[in-house]
Amino acid sequence: MKAYVRHSMGVVGWMEKPDPVCGPDEVICRPLALCPCSSDVHTAWEMDGAWLKDITLGHEVIGQVIEAGKDVKDFKVGDKVIVPCTTPTWKHPDIQDGDPWDAGGMFAGINFSNYEDGVMAEKFKVRSADMNLCHLPEGMPYEKAIMVVDMMTTGFHGCELANVRYGDTVVVFGIGPVGLMAIAGAKLMGAAQLIGIGTRPNCVKIAKEYGATDIISYKDGDVVEQIMKITNGRGVDVAIVAGGDAETLGQAYMVTRCGGAMTNLNVITGTNEFKFTYASCGGGFMGHKTVNGGLCPGGRRRAERLTAMVQADRLDPSLMVTHTFHGLDSIGEALQLMKDKPRDLIKPIVICD
Ligand code: NDP
Ligand code: ZN
């Protein structure tokens, strides 16, 4: 079969690979729709490591089951499925410690295009299918459903990690698709003043539609000063980082009020250092501020819950789809677009059938 792979750092392309082999609790799917992600860009162009050689890229997909292992109960050949980008095996004892996404080691739940082949291929395998897949509701457009698998779960996770409460003042650093979902999630969780940081005009427009009350630009001077000004010197209850660089973490910490929370969702590459100055970290993390971060939770129940929110029209995540391609062959072009990030891009989608 054909797979779109990262041959080596910065070198991507098609490659022939053997068909995936279906284990007893696994399914094999064909992709119906795929989205490239900023994280694919990190994997393909910014991350190095022998284990990434010729790995199939991609982790955002809606699929159709073409083979099901003998122990799979709830999914059969022909079913259309939402495939969370985080698919733990659900078999590691660390799960009982409460963090299934990292059970067995950091990022262990995220196998696609991380330490096993991803989904940008004619066929891909999903492990622990009964525990990880979610049925695609009849009539739900792929453009909506595919946002559940990573963008919604990630953006919403920022709000969960920082425990957004009714009436909170929240700032979201970065209003690409991850930050936009953090804005939508914060509104749903009851944020009052909701500040987005970014400059792309269509992101600004959609941030406002999702609930942003204020937009500031990191290109218009010191963001810390700007945030302190519009919060009357108090700072924010919650800061969520979904863009920027290593310096952004210090800025987010600094604008968080004492006792508040900041959380990071941004995969930061190209540095070995995160800079917290004496001032930015409050003289040594003395302000009872919670600092957290994490990769997107996955699994079946979470995907079903998020899909239910889309079905109930709590939000329309397909507003973020700006570019549509047709045919699996166009995945390279769509991924390149994600790398180039033209100003009018939020999220590209490839419709495969
Ligand atoms: P985008 O590149 O589309 O968006 C980044 C945003 O950050 C843009 O709004 C950009 O502004 C803004 N930005 C850039 N520089 C700054 C700055 N100095 N201060 C504040 N904002 C800034 O990225 P995505 O939304 O696709 O992804 C965001 C990150 O999330 C990526 O690193 C991705 O890998 C990661 N990610 C993490 C996951 C997780 O599980 N934790 C899952 C999926 C993705 P502008 O409008 O000017 O472009
Ligand atoms: Zn992704």
Coordinates of all heavy atoms in Angstrom, one line a residue, residues 37-39 42 59-60 110 150-151 154 173-179 197-200 203 218-219 223 242-245 248 251 264-268 294-296 338 341 343 346-347, ligand 1:
C37 N -1.7 18.5 10.6 CA -1.7 19.2 11.8 C -0.3 19.9 12.0 O 0.7 19.5 11.4 CB -1.9 18.2 13.0 SG -1.8 18.8 14.6
S38 N -0.3 21.0 12.8 CA 1.0 21.6 13.1 C 1.9 20.6 13.7 O 3.2 20.7 13.5 CB 0.8 22.8 14.0 OG -0.1 23.8 13.4
S39 N 1.4 19.6 14.4 CA 2.3 18.6 15.0 C 2.9 17.8 13.9 O 4.1 17.3 14.1 CB 1.5 17.8 16.0 OG 1.0 18.6 17.0
H42 N 5.9 19.7 12.9 CA 7.0 19.5 13.9 C 7.7 18.1 13.6 O 8.9 18.0 13.6 CB 6.5 19.4 15.3 CG 5.9 20.7 15.8 ND1 6.5 21.9 15.6 CD2 4.8 21.0 16.5 CE1 5.8 22.9 16.2 NE2 4.7 22.3 16.7
H59 N -2.2 11.9 12.1 CA -3.0 11.4 13.2 C -4.4 11.9 13.3 O -5.1 11.7 14.3 CB -2.2 11.7 14.5 CG -1.9 13.2 14.7 ND1 -0.8 13.8 14.2 CD2 -2.7 14.2 15.2 CE1 -0.8 15.1 14.4 NE2 -2.0 15.4 15.0
E60 N -4.8 12.7 12.3 CA -6.2 13.3 12.3 C -7.0 12.7 11.2 O -6.7 13.0 10.0 CB -6.1 14.8 12.2 CG -5.4 15.4 13.4 CD -5.4 17.0 13.4 OE1 -6.3 17.5 12.7 OE2 -4.6 17.6 14.1
I110 N 0.1 8.1 22.5 CA 0.0 8.7 21.2 C 1.0 7.9 20.2 O 2.2 8.3 20.1 CB 0.4 10.2 21.2 CG1 -0.6 10.9 22.2 CG2 0.4 10.8 19.9 CD1 -0.5 12.4 22.2
D150 N -8.5 15.8 17.4 CA -7.3 16.5 17.9 C -7.7 17.9 18.4 O -7.5 18.3 19.5 CB -6.2 16.5 17.0 CG -4.9 17.0 17.6 OD1 -4.9 17.5 18.7 OD2 -3.8 16.9 16.9
M151 N -8.2 18.7 17.4 CA -8.3 20.2 17.7 C -9.2 20.4 18.9 O -8.9 21.2 19.9 CB -8.8 20.9 16.5 CG -7.9 20.9 15.3 SD -6.2 21.6 15.7 CE -5.3 20.2 16.1
T154 N -7.8 18.8 22.2 CA -6.6 19.6 22.7 C -7.0 20.9 23.3 O -6.6 21.3 24.4 CB -5.6 19.7 21.6 OG1 -5.2 18.4 21.1 CG2 -4.3 20.4 22.1
F173 N -3.0 32.4 24.4 CA -1.9 32.8 23.5 C -1.9 31.9 22.3 O -1.6 30.8 22.3 CB -0.6 32.6 24.3 CG -0.3 33.5 25.4 CD1 -0.9 33.4 26.6 CD2 0.6 34.5 25.2 CE1 -0.7 34.3 27.6 CE2 0.9 35.4 26.3 CZ 0.3 35.3 27.5
G174 N -2.3 32.6 21.2 CA -2.4 31.8 19.9 C -3.8 31.5 19.5 O -4.5 30.8 20.3
I175 N -4.2 31.9 18.4 CA -5.6 31.6 17.9 C -5.5 30.9 16.6 O -6.3 31.2 15.7 CB -6.5 32.8 17.9 CG1 -5.8 34.0 17.2 CG2 -6.9 33.2 19.3 CD1 -6.7 35.2 17.0
G176 N -4.6 29.9 16.4 CA -4.7 29.0 15.3 C -5.8 28.0 15.8 O -6.5 28.2 16.7
P177 N -5.9 26.9 15.1 CA -7.1 25.9 15.4 C -7.0 25.4 16.8 O -8.1 25.3 17.4 CB -6.9 24.8 14.4 CG -5.5 24.9 13.8 CD -5.2 26.4 13.9
V178 N -5.9 25.2 17.4 CA -5.8 24.7 18.8 C -6.3 25.8 19.7 O -7.2 25.6 20.6 CB -4.4 24.3 19.2 CG1 -4.3 24.0 20.7 CG2 -4.0 23.0 18.4
G179 N -5.8 27.0 19.6 CA -6.2 28.2 20.4 C -7.7 28.5 20.2 O -8.4 28.8 21.2
I197 N -4.9 36.0 21.5 CA -3.7 36.7 21.0 C -3.4 36.1 19.7 O -3.1 34.9 19.6 CB -2.5 36.5 22.0 CG1 -2.9 37.0 23.4 CG2 -1.3 37.3 21.4 CD1 -1.8 36.9 24.4
G198 N -3.3 36.9 18.6 CA -3.0 36.4 17.3 C -3.3 37.5 16.3 O -3.8 38.6 16.6
T199 N -2.9 37.3 15.0 CA -3.0 38.4 14.0 C -3.7 37.9 12.7 O -4.2 38.8 12.0 CB -1.6 38.9 13.6 OG1 -0.9 37.9 12.9 CG2 -0.8 39.3 14.8
R200 N -3.8 36.6 12.4 CA -4.4 36.3 11.1 C -5.9 36.7 11.1 O -6.6 36.3 12.0 CB -4.3 34.8 10.9 CG -3.0 34.3 10.2 CD -2.3 33.1 10.8 NE -3.1 31.9 10.8 CZ -2.7 30.8 11.4 NH1 -1.6 30.8 12.2 NH2 -3.4 29.7 11.3
C203 N -8.6 34.1 11.7 CA -8.5 33.6 13.0 C -9.2 34.5 14.0 O -9.9 34.1 14.9 CB -7.1 33.3 13.4 SG -6.3 32.0 12.5
Y218 N 0.5 40.1 19.3 CA 1.8 40.0 19.9 C 2.8 40.9 19.1 O 3.9 41.1 19.4 CB 2.3 38.6 19.9 CG 2.3 37.9 18.6 CD1 3.5 37.9 17.8 CD2 1.2 37.3 18.1 CE1 3.5 37.2 16.6 CE2 1.2 36.7 16.8 CZ 2.3 36.7 16.1 OH 2.4 36.1 14.8
K219 N 2.3 41.4 17.9 CA 3.1 42.3 17.1 C 3.0 43.7 17.5 O 3.7 44.6 17.0 CB 2.8 42.1 15.6 CG 3.1 40.7 15.1 CD 2.7 40.5 13.6 CE 3.0 39.1 13.2 NZ 2.5 38.8 11.8
V223 N 3.2 41.9 25.1 CA 1.8 41.3 25.4 C 1.5 41.4 26.9 O 0.4 41.5 27.3 CB 1.7 39.8 24.9 CG1 1.5 39.7 23.4 CG2 2.8 39.0 25.4
A242 N -1.2 28.3 23.3 CA -1.5 27.5 22.1 C -0.7 28.1 20.9 O -1.2 27.9 19.8 CB -3.0 27.5 21.9
G243 N 0.3 28.8 21.2 CA 1.1 29.4 20.2 C 2.3 30.2 20.8 O 2.3 30.3 22.0
G244 N 3.2 30.7 19.9 CA 4.3 31.4 20.4 C 5.5 30.5 20.6 O 5.7 29.5 19.9
D245 N 6.4 30.9 21.5 CA 7.7 30.2 21.6 C 8.0 30.0 23.1 O 7.2 30.2 24.0 CB 8.8 30.9 20.9 CG 8.9 32.4 21.3 OD1 8.5 32.7 22.4 OD2 9.4 33.2 20.5
T248 N 7.0 32.6 25.5 CA 5.6 32.8 25.8 C 5.2 32.2 27.1 O 4.3 32.7 27.8 CB 4.8 32.1 24.6 OG1 5.3 32.6 23.4 CG2 3.3 32.5 24.7
Q251 N 5.7 34.6 29.8 CA 4.7 35.7 29.7 C 3.3 35.2 30.3 O 2.7 35.9 31.0 CB 4.5 36.1 28.2 CG 5.7 36.8 27.6 CD 5.6 36.9 26.1 OE1 4.8 36.2 25.4 NE2 6.4 37.8 25.5
N264 N 0.1 24.8 29.2 CA 0.7 24.9 27.9 C 0.2 23.7 27.0 O 0.2 22.5 27.4 CB 2.2 24.8 28.0 CG 2.8 24.8 26.6 OD1 2.4 25.6 25.8 ND2 3.8 23.9 26.4
L265 N -0.2 24.0 25.8 CA -0.6 23.0 24.8 C 0.4 23.0 23.6 O 0.4 22.1 22.8 CB -2.0 23.3 24.2 CG -3.1 23.4 25.3 CD1 -4.4 23.9 24.6 CD2 -3.4 22.0 25.9
N266 N 1.2 24.1 23.5 CA 2.1 24.3 22.4 C 3.2 23.3 22.4 O 3.9 23.2 23.4 CB 2.6 25.7 22.4 CG 3.2 26.2 21.1 OD1 3.0 25.6 20.1 ND2 4.0 27.2 21.2
V267 N 3.5 22.6 21.3 CA 4.6 21.8 21.1 C 5.8 22.7 20.7 O 5.8 23.3 19.6 CB 4.4 20.7 20.1 CG1 5.7 19.9 19.8 CG2 3.3 19.8 20.5
I268 N 6.7 23.0 21.7 CA 7.8 23.9 21.4 C 9.0 23.2 21.0 O 9.5 22.3 21.7 CB 8.0 24.8 22.7 CG1 6.8 25.5 23.0 CG2 9.2 25.7 22.5 CD1 6.8 26.2 24.4
G294 N -0.1 19.5 28.7 CA -0.3 18.1 28.3 C -0.7 17.9 26.9 O -1.2 18.8 26.2
L295 N -0.6 16.7 26.4 CA -1.1 16.3 25.1 C -2.5 15.9 25.2 O -3.0 15.6 26.2 CB -0.2 15.2 24.5 CG 1.2 15.7 24.0 CD1 2.0 14.5 23.6 CD2 1.1 16.7 22.9
C296 N -3.1 15.9 24.0 CA -4.6 15.7 23.9 C -5.1 14.3 24.4 O -4.6 13.3 24.0 CB -5.0 15.8 22.5 SG -3.8 15.1 21.3
M338 N 0.2 23.4 5.4 CA 0.2 23.5 6.9 C 1.6 24.0 7.3 O 1.7 24.8 8.3 CB -0.1 22.2 7.5 CG -0.6 22.2 8.9 SD -2.2 23.0 9.0 CE -2.4 23.2 10.7
K341 N 1.9 27.8 6.2 CA 0.9 28.7 6.9 C 0.7 30.0 6.2 O 1.0 31.1 6.8 CB 1.4 28.9 8.3 CG 1.5 27.7 9.2 CD 0.5 27.7 10.4 CE 0.3 26.4 10.9 NZ 1.2 26.0 12.0
R343 N -1.5 33.3 5.3 CA -2.2 34.1 6.2 C -3.7 33.7 6.3 O -4.4 33.9 7.3 CB -2.1 35.6 5.9 CG -0.7 36.1 6.0 CD -0.3 36.6 7.3 NE -1.1 37.6 7.9 CZ -1.1 37.9 9.2 NH1 -0.2 37.2 10.0 NH2 -1.8 38.8 9.8
I346 N -6.4 28.3 8.2 CA -6.6 27.8 9.6 C -6.4 26.3 9.6 O -5.4 25.8 10.1 CB -8.0 28.2 10.2 CG1 -8.2 29.7 10.1 CG2 -8.0 27.8 11.6 CD1 -9.5 30.2 10.7
K347 N -7.2 25.6 8.9 CA -7.1 24.1 8.8 C -7.4 23.6 7.5 O -8.5 23.9 7.0 CB -8.0 23.6 9.9 CG -7.7 22.1 10.3 CD -6.6 22.0 11.3 CE -6.3 20.5 11.6 NZ -5.1 20.3 12.3
Ligands
NDP1 P1 -0.9 27.8 14.4 O1 0.4 28.0 13.9 O2 -2.1 27.7 13.5 O3 -1.3 28.9 15.5 C1 -0.3 29.5 16.3 C2 -0.9 30.8 16.9 O4 0.0 31.4 17.7 C3 -1.3 31.8 15.8 O5 -2.5 32.4 16.2 C4 -0.2 32.8 15.9 O6 -0.5 34.1 15.5 C5 0.1 32.7 17.4 N1 1.4 33.2 17.8 C6 2.6 33.2 17.1 N2 3.6 33.8 17.8 C7 3.0 34.2 19.0 C8 3.5 34.9 20.1 N3 4.8 35.3 20.2 N4 2.7 35.1 21.1 C9 1.4 34.8 21.1 N5 0.8 34.1 20.0 C10 1.7 33.8 19.0 O7 -0.9 26.4 15.3 P2 -2.0 25.3 15.7 O8 -3.1 26.0 16.4 O9 -2.2 24.4 14.6 O10 -1.1 24.5 16.8 C11 -0.6 25.2 18.0 C12 0.4 24.3 18.7 O11 -0.3 23.2 19.3 C13 1.4 23.6 17.8 O12 2.7 23.7 18.4 C14 0.9 22.2 17.7 O13 2.0 21.3 17.4 C15 0.4 22.0 19.1 N6 -0.5 20.9 19.3 C16 -0.5 20.4 20.5 C17 -1.3 19.3 20.8 C18 -1.4 18.8 22.2 O14 -1.9 17.7 22.4 N7 -1.0 19.5 23.2 C19 -2.2 18.7 19.8 C20 -2.2 19.4 18.6 C21 -1.4 20.5 18.3 P3 -0.8 34.6 14.0 O15 -2.3 34.8 14.0 O16 0.0 35.8 13.9 O17 -0.3 33.5 13.1

